Amino acid sequence: MRDIDMLPLLFKNTKLLQIQNSNTIFKLLLLTGIGIYLWVFYIYPYFGGFDYFNFIHSCSNGYDFGLTVRGSNIFNPVKLAEAERELRDIGYSETGKIIYSPFSRLIFSVFNGLSNVVGYLLITLISVLLYIYSFKDLFLKKWKERGRFPLIFSLMLAFSFLSYGIFFELQRGQWNLIAISLAIISINLFRKDRRVLSLFLMSISIHLKIYPIILAVFVFNWKLTRKEVLYFISFLIFNLFLLCILGFDFLRDYIDLILKFSNNPYVWDGNLSIFNFSKVMGKIELFGYFFSLNNFLLIFTIIPFLTLLFFYVFKNKHIVENHLFFISIILCLVLPSVSHDYKLSLLMYCIISFYYNGYFNSMSVFEKLLFICLVINVLLPMTCWGALFGQSKTVFLFSNKFITLLILEYILLCDFLLNLKRNKSRT
């Protein structure tokens, strides 16, 4: 065989080698990223006496996590009573009980057997690992499609790790990253037809933070078959079991606290929820009658989700999946009564996925400009600058990101409908 005839074969083998090595390189990037992250945010600041983000240096590391662990000490009534007294003193709730599911309380009660430092480091490490791992399928998919290292992908992921949102989340010992990452991993497993593990992880995600229940629509085929009905019933039974895992008293407390917190949200500029926005803006007058802004906004916010869900369930789910996922994550931010601004970091997966799946390229120039402006407005609070100046220097209507997220929902809805119309005109 001539040398020139071997060129296509060599090129093919080189490309195959790149694909085979992509898994190994991803693992190396994962370990390198974790190492750099721990050095920048924990090791160097601790030993060097340098506070990387001085705007939150007054917050003690793992405060939210420590409080939740103490409030979940169900196996030690004396310690639990002390924790509930502390929660009452700081105004968390009238009863001093934490607003987390019985399953969450059972999980966090295990951490009472560890020291505060070990428990906090463990929850931080789990958050970092799961967050990076949730990007694995998208990362490898784009590497295989393009045959080269996805540089922009890596830069966007690095940006999210240097953001105020994720840093504050980890610094306080929160676990929104764990919940949303488990939900994304669950959806990826569903696409690989690993149904049992997918439903299991989605259930865990829902019981860690209730809002991932919105993402449960992505782990079912929505076909009226015996197998699919069995999966759905099994999913419901397992989740009911997790709700009642500590008995009906804990379940009743959990439901009562959810209803109480929904009616009395923590009001400030950084709360993204519909309830917070409605509380600040008050009621609206129409034809001499006063209407609750909360109910109006709730309906208006859910309309794009229900519209795309109809296409997902009854039409072709592949053409609507990315738009619906983006809107679903937005609902995860605005529907809970307490949803602080650091949760905006959860949108990073949507933004990266939306860009890499080519949906941004199909937008008109006007849509692109508007979409970019809104995304920048959403991403700004994720940065150090946004955290320092985003809230105090502007009026509530601009510093609060609910309206921005609502407009972003309708941009995504319009983009999908326009794409649908363009595709029909081509055919």
Side-chain angles (χ1 to χ4, degrees):
M1 184 181 289
R2 293 177 302 171
D3 290 343
I4 196 166
D5 294 330
M6 293 178 67
L7 285 176
L9 185 62
L10 286 170
F11 176 75
K12 184 179 179 182
N13 288 337
T14 304
K15 195 168 184 180
L16 283 172
L17 189 63
Q18 286 179 337
I19 292 169
Q20 287 167 358
N21 289 337
S22 60
N23 245 317
T24 306
I25 295 174
F26 182 83
K27 291 173 184 175
L28 288 172
L29 284 171
L30 181 69
L31 293 172
T32 306
I34 292 169
I36 294 170
Y37 181 78
L38 291 174
W39 171 260
V40 171
F41 289 105
Y42 291 97
I43 300 170
Y44 180 67
Y46 181 77
F47 290 104
F50 172 70
D51 194 349
Y52 194 81
F53 283 119
N54 59 7
F55 62 91
I56 58 169
H57 80 278
S58 59
C59 302
S60 57
N61 282 342
Y63 178 77
D64 291 354
F65 172 72
L67 207 60
T68 304
V69 167
R70 293 195 297 277
S72 301
N73 200 349
I74 56 177
F75 301 112
N76 191 330
V78 176
K79 294 287 185 182
L80 182 60
E82 290 176 4
E84 288 179 352
R85 195 180 307 116
E86 181 186 354
L87 288 165
R88 281 196 299 272
D89 291 341
I90 65 173
Y92 178 84
S93 66
E94 294 177 5
T95 59
K97 297 183 185 297
I98 58 171
I99 182 172
Y100 293 114
S101 71
F103 176 75
S104 291
R105 299 188 70 173
L106 180 62
I107 291 294
F108 285 110
S109 66
V110 176
F111 283 91
N112 282 287
L114 304 173
S115 67
N116 292 336
V117 174
V118 172
Y120 170 63
L121 289 176
L122 185 59
I123 200 77
T124 303
L125 184 61
I126 292 170
S127 297
V128 171
L129 286 172
L130 285 177
Y131 179 69
I132 297 177
Y133 189 80
S134 67
F135 285 91
K136 180 189 173 185
D137 284 2
L138 184 61
F139 180 88
L140 296 180
K141 178 186 174 186
K142 294 306 150 189
W143 193 323
K144 290 174 183 178
E145 283 178 0
R146 302 188 177 198
R148 64 179 186 272
F149 181 80
L151 180 62
I152 297 176
F153 179 105
S154 305
L155 291 174
M156 293 174 83
L157 185 58
F159 172 76
S160 72
F161 262 106
L162 296 173
S163 70
Y164 148 73
I166 288 183
F167 180 75
F168 197 87
E169 162 102 5
L170 297 178
Q171 198 270 347
R172 296 286 288 189
Q174 271 288 340
W175 52 97
N176 291 291
L177 282 181
I178 295 177
I180 210 71
S181 297
L182 284 175
I184 291 169
I185 293 167
S186 168
I187 295 167
N188 290 333
L189 287 170
F190 167 76
R191 290 168 182 159
K192 297 173 183 177
D193 205 29
R194 298 175 66 181
R195 301 296 301 278
V196 175
L197 184 57
S198 170
L199 293 174
F200 174 77
L201 291 181
M202 183 59 75
S203 300
I204 301 301
S205 172
I206 291 167
H207 287 270
L208 287 176
K209 294 281 186 179
I210 193 170
Y211 58 77
I213 196 170
I214 299 166
L215 302 176
V217 299
F218 295 101
V219 293
F220 294 101
N221 282 320
W222 301 106
K223 294 176 181 176
L224 201 59
T225 62
R226 183 179 177 182
K227 186 179 179 180
E228 203 61 32
V229 170
L230 185 62
Y231 277 129
F232 187 75
I233 293 172
S234 302
F235 180 74
L236 289 179
I237 292 171
F238 181 64
N239 279 274
L240 285 172
F241 166 73
L242 292 181
L243 279 173
C244 305
I245 198 167
L246 294 179
F248 290 104
D249 290 338
F250 282 93
L251 177 58
R252 186 175 60 250
D253 291 341
Y254 176 54
I255 294 171
D256 289 343
L257 282 169
I258 286 176
L259 294 174
K260 194 170 290 184
F261 269 74
S262 298
N263 294 323
N264 298 287
Y266 180 71
V267 178
W268 76 296
D269 287 9
N271 189 349
L272 307 169
S273 75
I274 297 171
F275 301 95
N276 175 73
F277 188 85
S278 305
K279 197 92 170 178
V280 173
M281 302 304 290
K283 295 182 178 180
I284 55 172
E285 185 180 0
L286 191 64
F287 304 117
Y289 295 96
F290 287 93
F291 295 91
S292 170
L293 191 62
N294 182 60
N295 296 333
F296 172 76
L297 287 175
L298 188 61
I299 295 168
F300 202 63
T301 305
I302 292 175
I303 285 173
F305 174 77
L306 293 178
T307 305
L308 296 189
L309 185 63
F310 171 80
F311 283 94
Y312 184 80
V313 174
F314 298 105
K315 303 292 182 181
N316 186 351
K317 71 177 184 180
H318 299 293
I319 62 172
V320 71
E321 193 169 19
N322 271 276
H323 289 76
L324 180 60
F325 182 78
F326 207 136
I327 288 176
S328 299
I329 294 291
I330 292 175
L331 288 186
C332 289
L333 298 177
V334 301
L335 286 184
S337 60
V338 179
S339 185
H340 298 308
D341 57 354
Y342 55 78
K343 283 172 64 178
L344 287 169
S345 301
L346 303 182
L347 286 172
M348 185 52 72
Y349 185 91
C350 305
I351 294 166
I352 293 176
S353 177
F354 203 78
Y355 171 79
Y356 267 96
N357 282 303
Y359 291 100
F360 181 74
N361 297 330
S362 65
M363 289 182 171
S364 65
V365 176
F366 174 74
E367 283 178 315
K368 283 181 181 177
L369 288 173
L370 193 55
F371 186 82
I372 289 170
C373 290
L374 290 170
V375 166
I376 289 172
N377 192 28
V378 165
L379 291 181
L380 187 62
M382 292 169 60
T383 64
C384 177
W385 187 91
L388 283 168
F389 305 108
Q391 308 295 342
S392 58
K393 304 293 182 183
T394 53
V395 296
F396 173 80
L397 200 60
F398 296 102
S399 61
N400 183 268
K401 302 302 174 190
F402 168 73
I403 290 296
T404 302
L405 292 170
L406 185 62
I407 296 172
L408 198 55
E409 268 196 81
Y410 278 88
I411 292 273
L412 291 164
L413 175 63
C414 292
D415 179 63
F416 169 73
L417 294 175
L418 287 171
N419 280 340
L420 199 65
K421 186 179 178 181
R422 283 194 289 263
N423 291 336
K424 281 186 177 179
S425 63
R426 288 194 195 111
T427 55

